[in-house]
Each structure stands twice: as structure tokens, then as C-alpha cells.
Amino acid sequence: MDPDDHIVIIGAGFSGTLLAINLLRHKGPNATLIDRHADQIARGIAYSSPHQSQLLNVRAKGMSPFPDDPDHFVRWVEAERGGAPTSFVPRAAYGAYLTDVLARARGEQPGRLTLREAAATDIVATDDGRQAVVLNDGTRIVADVIVLATGNLPPHTPDGIDPVSLPDGCYVEDPWRSDPADGLGTDDVVMLLGTGLTAVDVALELDAAGFGGTVLALSRRGLSPRRHVDAQIQAEPLHDPPALPLSHVVAAVRRRATGIDWRSAVDALRPVTQRFWHGADVATRARFLRHLRPYWDVHRHRLAPAVADRIDAMQTDGALRFAAGKVTRVMTEGSHLRVHWRPRHADAEVQIRVARIVNCTGPQGDLTRSDDPLLGTLYRRGLIRPDALRIGLDVTPQSRVIAADGTPADALYCIGPMTRGGLWEVVAVPDLRRQCWDLARRLSNAQWIGGEGL
């Protein structure tokens, strides 16, 4: 691309913001960064939490957004927070850091990055063969390249729940868009659908709000995230994936974990996880999602020790319980709900009266079930399509979006968690920073520069 070209980035969470910053760093084309929530620019949903109890689940030394400057965040933490490379920093602090990095990058390259608060609703062709992003106020922004950085889709409503039939406030569809503790009493019970990181966040939020009732977190297997430990034997990272099919990796990790902490054996897979995924066929990937994903998630995405301590204390006090089972039906009972659920490996149902159900099943990526206006429009028009597993968009290894007819787009890209179908590990900072870095370099014609630096 030429320096006078224009890139429009739709979504200003971590991925979109980092791409924009890297375009500035690489002296690439001018760009416009669009997000419907001005207060979440650079922070996104992930780092907008005001709760100091919600910590990053990666130590500071692993959270630099720049592959060429691995200590960038550590220096900020030491200067601004008095922290250390091993610190687990509040997510709100990381949001403040990203906001600062964006402001500094714009200050060093004035006039080259425009921020726009708006919702994108469509992408249309222009008379001169370019594209234009249509905004919700009817205006259009012409672009030479458009990058979708929409982040995760909200969770789907699980089977057995009809939100329309339930009293107002009894069902929280998206825990990031509401206060889960609002209006609750000390005798109330809250049911969290899901037992992963989202459920942990909501449990902490209820605890911080002073909720005096009890919380039941329910999922098919009842698995909850494991904890980081302060001292663990570090295994040598793998540089080449073993000559094994994906289905044999579990046994290989168990063998490698003999004599060292299992966390180190799992972490050693980081450099080759995407290559494992790329080498597996669709059927194998589907089996992984169906049978192994819950176990992978709780071992791979772990809790900061302080967070794990608080969750343990809540369980000991009886304020929080994790259970394995499935909701079968939900009925209205006055201002509350009567939930019928079947414990795992049991035939008989259990009933419980709850004041609120919070959907903590985690982000989804099925375009066919999304109510996102932009993605829905692009999908219906055939400009994008789901990946084979329906966990995101179908894209090339270079992040180019693939249309319904199988043709890669010339000027439409996608980055972030919605590309997980082709990469799998693209939800955490270490993976996202590499994806954003690589695309920024291509769009800035910087691929020819050797090494990691400029």
C-alpha cells in the first residue's frame, strides 16, 4: 500500500487498537479507527472493568503488545504501578496502559489516525473501485483496505431458556453489559451458566458488590480454571511440533509433565499450538472442540494466585459452588425463577429457586446465530462466511476474509478472536500481538525489514 492510502479498522478493542498503533509505528497508511463505544477505545470489553479484583491471567512480563519490545509493559508497570515482571496486574490498569500507548503513538504521528465513535452497518463498493464503510448515521468512510476487528460475539442463549418469557432482570444475556448484582438481596441465589473465566469474573464482581447470597456456577462438566503458581519448573519450549496427530498430544503432554509441573508442560506448547491446529483436519478439530476443549481451557487459561485464593475462599464459605449438569427448563415463580437441572451422570432432575441467571458460557463465533448488524449484513450478502467449525470467520493465513464463494477478498481483512477457526490460539495477547504486527507490516510494506525491529 501507498502512504496516501486509507485503512479503516472496525473495532477499537485490543486487536483493532494494536493494529492502528503498529501502522503508526511502521509509518504505514493513514487510518480511521471506529468503535461504537468511545469509552472503550483501546480498552475493549476485556480491559474496561473497573474492578481491581479482576486481574490479568498472564504475568506482566508476558503482556507487552509489541514482539520487538517484550519489556514494554513491564517498564510501564514498574514506573506507574510499582509492579514487577511477575506481577498480575488489574485488567483496568492494562486498559489504562493501552490508552496511554495509543495516545503516545498518535502524538508522535499527528493527523495520521482518526478515532470515530460510530457503529458500522455495511460495506459497499464505490464508483472508483474502492470500498466504503457505512455508519449508523448514514455517513460513509471510503477506504482502500478495511479490517474487521470486532472481537468476540456475545454468548448465545443456552437451550431450555426463553428470555422473552422471563421477568425483567431475571436473565442476564451478556454479563459485560449489565450489573449482575443490581437489585439482589442477601437471601437470593444467582445461577451462573458456565464455570470458566467469565463465571469467575462475575463471581468476583458479585463479591465486590457485597452480594450476600449464594452463587451456583453450572456447566456440563463443572470444570473451573486452574491457578498459576509462583514457582514452577520451566520446561524448554517446543520449537517444532512432535510428529504426532492432534489426538495424541494429550498423552504426550502427560508424559512430559512427569517430573515437572503440568503448567510448564502445557506452556511449552505455546510456540507450536497454531501449527498443531493447522495440521489437523476438520474432523479432528471438531473432536477436539467437542471432547477436549473444556479441559484445554481450564489448564491453558489460568487464574492469578490472588484470584484463585478468593475463589477458593468463596467456596469454603459456601458463597460459591461449582457443579456439573445441564439446565432442562426454566419457569417463572413470582419475581424469581424455578430452574430444573440434571446433574452430570444422574437421571433425576434437581430444582432450585434463583433470583437471576447470568449467561457465562463465554464468547461465541457462529455467524449464523449472530445479531451483530454489520456481520449479519456481510454474511447475508456473501462477503464473509463462517469457518468450517462455525467458531469464527473463514480467513486465509494472511488474515484475508474469504467470501461465500471461496474467494479471498483483495481488501477486506479480519483479525482477533474471530479468526480462531484457522488459528485456534488467537485470543490472548501473545498471539494477538503477532497477528497485528504481521498484518501491519504487510499493509505498511515493511516485510522486507529484517528481524523484529524497525
Side-chain angles (χ1 to χ4, degrees), residues 32-41 114-120 135-137 139 141:
T32 298
L33 184 59
I34 301 172
D35 199 279
R36 69 187 69 190
H37 303 291
D39 60 337
Q40 290 187 356
I41 289 178
T114 301
L115 305 183
R116 182 72 180 268
E117 182 181 13
L135 303 181
N136 55 339
D137 62 2
T139 60
I141 302 177

Side-chain angles (χ1 to χ4, degrees), residues 179-325:
D179 178 5
D182 183 45
L184 295 177
T186 56
D187 295 328
D188 284 331
V189 176
V190 174
M191 173 175 279
L192 309 181
L193 298 182
T195 57
L197 291 175
T198 302
V200 168
D201 280 343
V202 174
L204 291 175
E205 190 171 344
L206 289 167
D207 183 56
F211 174 57
T214 57
V215 179
L216 171 64
L218 181 71
S219 69
R220 295 271 183 122
R221 294 173 177 83
L223 300 172
S224 58
R226 295 345 188 217
R227 67 165 61 220
H228 283 283
V229 293
D230 292 327
Q232 68 182 58
I233 300 173
Q234 296 297 323
E236 180 67 24
L238 298 177
H239 300 291
D240 293 297
L244 295 171
L246 184 61
S247 57
H248 292 183
V249 172
V250 173
V253 171
R254 284 175 174 163
R255 288 194 299 270
R256 198 162 196 231
T258 302
I260 63 173
D261 189 271
W262 62 262
R263 298 164 183 81
S264 297
V266 171
D267 292 345
L269 293 175
R270 278 304 294 271
V272 297
T273 302
Q274 290 186 354
R275 293 162 66 185
F276 265 127
W277 187 257
H278 182 72
D281 57 29
V282 173
T284 300
R285 295 179 186 182
R287 287 198 301 274
F288 171 88
L289 294 178
R290 185 167 57 253
H291 299 296
L292 193 58
R293 179 179 184 175
Y295 299 93
W296 170 262
D297 285 345
V298 299
H299 289 85
R300 170 67 188 82
H301 305 290
R302 303 189 285 272
L303 301 178
V307 171
D309 287 344
R310 185 60 205 146
I311 293 298
D312 288 347
M314 292 178 68
Q315 293 181 83
T316 300
D317 294 342
L320 171 64
R321 179 166 71 97
F322 292 100

Side-chain angles (χ1 to χ4, degrees), residues 375-396:
L375 296 181
T377 298
L378 299 182
Y379 172 58
R380 289 188 293 271
R381 292 177 53 208
L383 297 179
I384 61 176
R385 72 179 185 183
D387 61 63
L389 299 170
R390 291 193 174 184
I391 56 176
L393 272 67
D394 201 6
V395 298
T396 71

Side-chain angles (χ1 to χ4, degrees), residues 41-192:
I41 289 178
R43 299 172 181 268
I45 294 176
Y47 307 119
S48 294
S49 171
H51 302 288
Q52 296 299 306
S53 61
Q54 294 179 343
L55 306 180
L56 298 175
N57 60 355
V58 176
R59 294 176 176 86
K61 63 183 179 181
M63 291 296 290
S64 171
F66 304 120
D68 62 326
D69 191 353
D71 294 327
H72 194 278
F73 180 54
V74 168
R75 293 195 301 272
W76 187 91
V77 168
E78 291 174 340
E80 301 292 332
R81 306 278 304 188
T86 57
S87 298
F88 289 92
V89 178
R91 292 214 300 264
Y94 195 70
Y97 160 74
L98 293 173
T99 302
D100 182 58
V101 172
L102 176 62
R104 289 175 180 269
R106 294 185 73 204
E108 294 169 357
Q109 300 282 336
R112 294 191 49 238
L113 175 62
T114 301
L115 305 183
R116 182 72 180 268
E117 182 181 13
T121 59
D122 200 357
I123 297 174
V124 297
T126 62
D127 294 338
D128 61 358
R130 301 163 78 195
Q131 300 180 94
V133 177
V134 182
L135 303 181
N136 55 339
D137 62 2
T139 60
R140 300 185 177 192
I141 302 177
V142 177
D144 297 282
V145 162
I146 298 172
V147 181
L148 302 175
T150 54
N152 288 301
L153 299 179
H156 304 315
T157 298
D159 295 335
I161 297 178
D162 178 14
V164 177
S165 67
L166 304 181
D168 289 343
C170 283
Y171 175 67
V172 177
E173 183 175 24
D174 186 351
W176 308 120
R177 301 297 184 192
S178 62
D179 178 5
D182 183 45
L184 295 177
T186 56
D187 295 328
D188 284 331
V189 176
V190 174
M191 173 175 279
L192 309 181

